Amino acid sequence: MQELCVLIVGGGYAGIMCALRLAGKARHLRVGLVNPNRLFVERLRLHETLVGAPKYSLRSFDIEEILKRRAVEFFPGHVVSLHPGFSRLTVHSDDGTHTVLAYRRLVIASGSKTSLGKIEGQAEYSFSVDSDRGNNAAALHAALSEFPKPRVTIIGGGATGVEVAAEIAQKPDAIVKLVSSGKIASGMIDPVAKRIHSRLLAVGVELIENADVVSIQKDHISLGGGDVVHDICVSATGFEVDSLWRKSGLPTTENGRIRTDPYLRTIGVPSIYAVGDASFVVPHKSAPARMSVMYAMTSGAHVANTIIDEFAERTPRRFGFWTYGQAIGLGPAAVGFGNMRYDRAYAPYFTGRVGFHIRHFFISMLFKLLLLEARLPGFPFNFGRPVRRQQALWKTEVKKINEGT
């Protein structure tokens, strides 16, 4: 059994940011990272690969190589068990071996995946825009290539469903239907929702709203009022976090996000932190903890700073999160808007090709911030020092945690 000071589970934006900052700013700490894939995936652009080649190639890097720059140990594999009471977990590797890793601090940055258990037949007969499951984005791309005039049904009227529908509609002669249990883009304010509706209709997407999907079959979906036939079905019915954390006794939300305190420590288990899509701050006094790359990177950086302060017996800051903007991809177009500070959209709205290029610019910047962290640890998302009156309270908390590890 190997023992690490800090063990991170997940090699996405949050996990990589946390690992690089920890190892770069606190070289005396032994840091390890577990991830099933060796390559970093630019997940928020996977829908751009569904039809042909994207205008801008997806960026990637070898996770092990970038971690070596800061002496972070890489453990390829899936976490199959977690024992919080013993501060250890078990990793199953592709070669069939099992490795037990002990930790003093654990950071869960496992991200999320499309929820496929809500509808009968969903897991068996629908694709998702994920990267590490059977009917994933690559499989969907291959399936679309098999049909000259594919009939495609997308279930889910949120941002992911909208982006997938607009992208697939770019395939010549594709017949695309977007089905939602409520209004499509209902989570957006009216000016943004209207622009999304207009764009989808302009590219030929049929919008089916306020329709509950009862079941999914190989060639059709069943609605309350009839069937919709298809060649391909795509699920975009929200996201969920690995159920392992709930099964291990950690407190979670309905979709599996781990409930944390304002320092992003798991409630009731302060030696375990959660970041990115896997975390849900309770309570929070900042922007909502919406699943996003910005939230992932800022929370990953913040937890790294917090753990460094904790080992140094310094008082860290409570987590505070602001949003700055959001953009919804619509094929070769997009709709973008500012939403600073509390995730509330406001004008001006950038649409069409302008919106597309603005969206691509900011996605590129977020990716480059990861590479910058590898070179200049602590530069992106730098936080100030806490007020002195918190020192005594935090030192008491650190003492309690250390006595239990």
Side-chain angles (χ1 to χ4, degrees), residues 111-336:
S112 62
K113 57 186 177 182
T114 303
S115 178
L116 295 179
K118 298 179 179 179
I119 305 169
E120 179 185 345
Q122 191 173 24
E124 295 83 2
Y125 299 116
S126 70
F127 293 87
S128 66
V129 192
D130 291 327
S131 60
D132 58 351
R133 63 194 332 165
N135 291 342
N136 58 16
L140 176 55
H141 172 86
L144 287 167
S145 302
E146 294 177 1
F147 296 92
K149 298 180 180 180
R151 297 170 298 175
V152 184
T153 299
I154 297 112
I155 303 173
T160 302
V162 166
E163 291 186 326
V164 171
E167 195 67 37
I168 295 178
Q170 304 308 305
K171 182 178 176 64
D173 299 320
I175 301 171
V176 182
K177 298 179 180 180
L178 179 58
V179 181
S180 177
S181 59
K183 297 287 290 183
I184 289 171
S186 61
M188 307 293 171
I189 64 172
D190 285 344
V192 174
K194 288 178 180 178
R195 286 166 170 79
I196 290 174
H197 278 234
S198 296
R199 177 64 187 178
L200 291 175
L201 293 172
V203 296
V205 177
E206 180 181 345
L207 308 182
I208 303 175
E209 299 182 313
N210 302 311
D212 291 325
V213 179
V214 178
S215 66
I216 302 174
Q217 302 300 323
K218 184 177 181 179
D219 58 357
H220 71 276
I221 63 171
S222 297
L223 304 177
D227 296 343
V228 177
V229 298
H230 60 247
D231 300 309
I232 297 170
C233 180
V234 184
S235 286
T237 49
F239 297 97
E240 63 183 8
V241 177
D242 194 333
S243 61
L244 174 63
W245 315 128
R246 180 188 290 117
K247 294 175 182 177
S248 301
L250 304 185
T252 65
T253 62
E254 184 178 352
N255 65 342
R257 301 182 76 182
I258 299 168
R259 297 182 180 274
T260 71
D261 66 14
Y263 297 100
L264 299 182
R265 302 175 302 181
T266 300
I267 292 176
V269 193
S271 61
I272 298 179
Y273 290 78
V275 295
D277 289 1
S279 73
F280 187 82
V281 186
V282 182
H284 65 82
K285 293 185 178 180
S286 56
R290 174 171 55 83
M291 293 181 177
S292 65
V293 174
M294 191 67 178
Y295 177 71
M297 295 185 71
T298 53
S299 61
H302 185 84
V303 161
N305 289 342
T306 299
I307 292 175
I308 292 170
D309 286 338
E310 184 181 333
F311 279 107
E313 297 188 352
R314 297 193 301 259
T315 306
R317 291 184 65 90
R318 293 169 179 254
F319 179 66
F321 171 64
W322 280 20
T323 51
Y324 295 91
Q326 186 179 358
I328 309 299
L330 298 169
V335 55

